[in-house]
Coordinates of all heavy atoms in Angstrom, one line a residue:
M1 N 12.4 22.4 44.6 CA 12.6 21.8 43.3 C 13.8 22.4 42.6 O 13.9 23.6 42.8 CB 11.4 21.8 42.4 CG 10.4 20.7 42.7 SD 8.9 21.0 41.8 CE 8.1 22.3 42.8
T2 N 14.6 21.7 41.9 CA 15.7 22.2 41.3 C 15.3 23.1 40.1 O 14.5 22.7 39.3 CB 16.6 21.0 40.8 OG1 17.0 20.2 41.8 CG2 17.8 21.6 40.1
D8 N 18.3 34.9 30.3 CA 17.3 35.6 29.6 C 17.5 35.3 28.1 O 18.6 35.0 27.6 CB 17.5 37.1 29.9 CG 17.1 37.6 31.2 OD1 16.3 36.8 31.8 OD2 17.6 38.6 31.7
I39 N 14.2 16.7 22.2 CA 13.7 18.1 21.9 C 14.4 19.1 22.8 O 14.4 19.0 24.1 CB 12.2 18.1 22.2 CG1 11.4 17.1 21.3 CG2 11.6 19.5 22.0 CD1 11.5 17.4 19.7
P54 N 3.7 17.9 10.4 CA 2.7 16.9 9.9 C 2.2 16.2 11.2 O 2.8 16.1 12.2 CB 3.6 16.1 9.0 CG 5.0 16.2 9.5 CD 5.1 17.6 10.0
K71 N 4.6 11.2 30.8 CA 5.9 11.2 31.5 C 7.0 11.0 30.4 O 6.9 10.1 29.5 CB 5.9 10.1 32.4 CG 4.8 10.1 33.5 CD 4.8 8.9 34.4 CE 3.7 8.9 35.3 NZ 3.6 7.6 36.2
E98 N 1.6 12.4 42.8 CA 0.6 13.0 41.9 C 0.1 14.3 42.5 O -0.2 15.3 41.7 CB -0.5 12.0 41.8 CG -1.7 12.5 40.8 CD -1.2 12.9 39.5 OE1 -0.3 12.1 38.9 OE2 -1.7 13.8 38.9
N116 N -13.8 19.0 26.1 CA -13.8 18.5 27.4 C -14.6 19.2 28.5 O -14.2 19.3 29.6 CB -12.4 18.2 27.9 CG -11.6 17.3 27.0 OD1 -12.1 16.5 26.3 ND2 -10.2 17.4 27.0
G168 N -19.4 24.8 18.4 CA -18.1 24.3 18.8 C -17.2 25.5 19.1 O -16.4 25.4 20.0
V174 N -15.3 28.7 25.9 CA -15.6 28.4 27.3 C -14.4 27.7 27.9 O -14.0 27.9 29.0 CB -16.9 27.6 27.5 CG1 -17.0 27.1 28.9 CG2 -18.1 28.5 27.1
S194 N -8.8 22.7 15.3 CA -8.9 21.7 14.3 C -10.2 21.0 14.3 O -10.6 20.3 13.3 CB -7.7 20.7 14.4 OG -7.8 20.1 15.8
E245 N 13.5 22.9 12.3 CA 13.9 24.3 12.1 C 13.0 25.2 13.0 O 11.9 24.9 13.3 CB 13.5 24.7 10.7 CG 14.1 26.0 10.2 CD 14.0 26.1 8.7 OE1 14.0 25.1 7.9 OE2 14.2 27.4 8.3
G247 N 12.6 29.7 14.3 CA 13.1 31.0 14.1 C 11.8 32.0 14.2 O 10.7 31.5 14.5
L253 N 8.7 31.1 7.4 CA 7.7 30.9 6.4 C 8.1 31.4 5.0 O 7.8 30.8 4.0 CB 6.4 31.6 6.9 CG 5.7 31.0 8.1 CD1 4.5 31.8 8.5 CD2 5.3 29.6 7.8
T261 N 11.3 21.3 5.8 CA 10.4 22.4 6.0 C 9.9 23.1 4.7 O 8.7 23.3 4.6 CB 11.2 23.7 6.8 OG1 12.0 23.0 7.8 CG2 10.2 24.6 7.4
K267 N 3.1 22.5 0.8 CA 1.7 21.8 0.8 C 0.7 22.6 1.6 O -0.5 22.4 1.4 CB 1.9 20.4 1.4 CG 2.8 19.5 0.6 CD 2.9 18.1 1.2 CE 3.8 17.1 0.5 NZ 3.8 15.8 1.1

Side-chain angles (χ1 to χ4, degrees):
M1 277 170 282
T2 302
D8 289 338
I39 300 296
K71 300 176 184 179
E98 183 56 37
N116 295 338
V174 173
S194 63
E245 187 166 346
L253 293 172
T261 315
K267 294 179 180 178

